[in-house]
Amino acid sequence: WRTIDIGNHPVVTATFQWLRANLPRSDDAPVFLHGDYALHNILIEGDQVNAVLDWELHHVGDRAEDISWLLSSIGKHVTREQFMREYLAAGGSEVSEFQIRYYEVLVHLKMLIVTLELQLRFQTVPHAGPQYCIPGLGFIQHPS
């Protein structure tokens, strides 16, 4: 957010304020996170995860963040309740509903920032075409 010049945006500002004021409390130790743990970054063969790709957003934090990201991408395939039941059965520990909701807000904030950056690039790059409206590495790398 700070590295792109998309100006002051009231929704972004208000969301950052809400996130700061409502940081979930957890007794769990911080863990290593992927930062974009979703189906588009997971290679699956049969019923096994073969690889997790694109670690450029990794950081240390609340495991509920990666769980929330994953839930946002698998919602068409499994309910949150089904996922959490399987997660707990596999040895995971309880994650509060507030933690999941909090990180959903963060997911949507990140997507809003990506969308605003796409808009900025489309408006400021003279030869920008529809390909600049597609999220991915192509829009992050400024064309020469």
Side-chain angles (χ1 to χ4, degrees):
W1 170 247
R2 291 184 181 128
T3 63
I4 53 177
D5 185 22
I6 58 177
N8 189 12
H9 193 283
V11 172
V12 172
T13 301
T15 305
F16 273 127
Q17 289 171 347
W18 184 89
L19 288 168
R20 280 198 273 313
N22 292 285
L23 190 64
R25 298 193 197 289
S26 175
D27 293 332
D28 295 338
V31 298
F32 186 78
L33 299 173
H34 181 273
D36 187 14
Y37 193 67
L39 287 181
H40 62 272
N41 283 327
I42 303 171
L43 295 180
I44 300 172
E45 186 173 332
D47 63 353
Q48 297 293 315
V49 173
N50 280 357
V52 179
L53 310 173
D54 296 333
W55 287 86
E56 70 274 3
L57 298 176
H58 70 279
H59 59 281
V60 174
D62 185 343
R63 65 193 162 81
E65 182 179 345
D66 271 356
I67 292 169
S68 185
W69 274 92
L70 182 59
L71 286 169
S72 73
S73 75
I74 64 172
K76 296 176 187 173
H77 309 287
V78 65
T79 67
R80 176 179 302 174
E81 293 76 22
Q82 291 169 319
F83 174 84
M84 292 309 294
R85 211 172 22 254
E86 293 296 323
Y87 174 75
L88 293 172
S93 55
E94 225 25 81
V95 176
S96 75
E97 182 68 18
F98 181 76
Q99 285 173 289
I100 297 297
R101 295 289 185 195
Y102 177 91
Y103 290 108
E104 282 179 344
V105 171
L106 182 61
V107 166
H108 292 293
L109 175 63
K110 287 180 179 182
M111 293 314 301
L112 173 60
I113 291 169
V114 166
T115 302
L116 291 170
E117 183 177 10
L118 288 169
Q119 178 184 12
L120 174 69
R121 300 252 184 218
F122 193 76
Q123 292 172 338
T124 59
V125 176
H127 59 282
Q131 72 273 18
Y132 285 85
C133 294
I134 302 170
L137 292 178
F139 83 86
I140 295 171
Q141 299 167 353
H142 199 289
S144 51

